[in-house]
Amino acid sequence: QVQLVEAGGGLVQAGASLRLSCAASGRTLSSYAMGWFRQTPGKEREIVAAISRSGGYTYYVDLVKGRFTISRDNAKNTVYLQMNLLKPEDTAVYYCAADSGSYYRTSRIISDYDYWGQGTQVTVSS
């Protein structure tokens, strides 16, 4: 089992940047593909970005392409989401999740993820 703790959320103005982090404990993060999801009240949790075990493959939902970057530092057991040019529509609770699937996988499917963090709030004002 792996425990995940997100950090780095906050209240920012549109156009600003934030970097979210997801620190893992219990198991080495290299055993997992990782994803970032977000959720707002009344909406389903949705994929934002995913990264394969080695970091060689990434996926981004169209709405964040060119603005967000997912990365990982397996030596630090940490995954990051760099968010630039933030928009009010990005306001959500952001969750990281760990996927014990295949080496190359960057899943967009919630059920593929085995472990979830507690979430960190990102609020973007206009």
Side-chain angles (χ1 to χ4, degrees):
Q1 187 174 356
V2 61
Q3 294 78 45
L4 306 173
V5 178
E6 302 98 332
L11 173 62
V12 298
Q13 292 182 313
S17 297
L18 284 172
R19 189 179 75 158
L20 306 183
S21 63
C22 175
S25 62
R27 300 290 301 274
T28 58
L29 203 59
S30 61
S31 297
Y32 302 92
M34 299 296 297
W36 284 98
F37 293 76
R38 64 188 182 187
Q39 187 170 26
T40 57
K43 289 188 174 182
E44 297 180 351
R45 192 168 299 185
E46 63 182 15
I47 184 70
V48 177
I51 188 166
S52 62
R53 291 186 185 182
S54 68
Y57 299 88
T58 57
Y59 165 81
Y60 298 94
V61 70
D62 287 345
L63 289 171
V64 309
K65 285 182 178 177
R67 298 190 297 121
F68 291 11
T69 303
I70 187 171
S71 62
R72 66 191 302 159
D73 187 339
N74 286 343
K76 296 183 182 296
N77 238 23
T78 302
V79 175
Y80 303 94
L81 185 68
Q82 178 68 45
M83 305 185 295
N84 298 325
L85 297 171
L86 282 162
K87 304 175 180 180
E89 305 93 275
D90 297 317
T91 295
V93 177
Y94 283 71
Y95 299 88
C96 67
D99 169 19
S100 60
S102 65
Y103 186 80
Y104 300 105
R105 190 155 81 176
T106 55
S107 181
R108 295 86 124 163
I109 302 171
I110 290 173
S111 61
D112 281 342
Y113 291 84
D114 303 294
Y115 305 102
W116 295 82
Q118 84 290 346
T120 185
Q121 177 72 47
V122 172
T123 302
V124 184
S125 65
S126 59

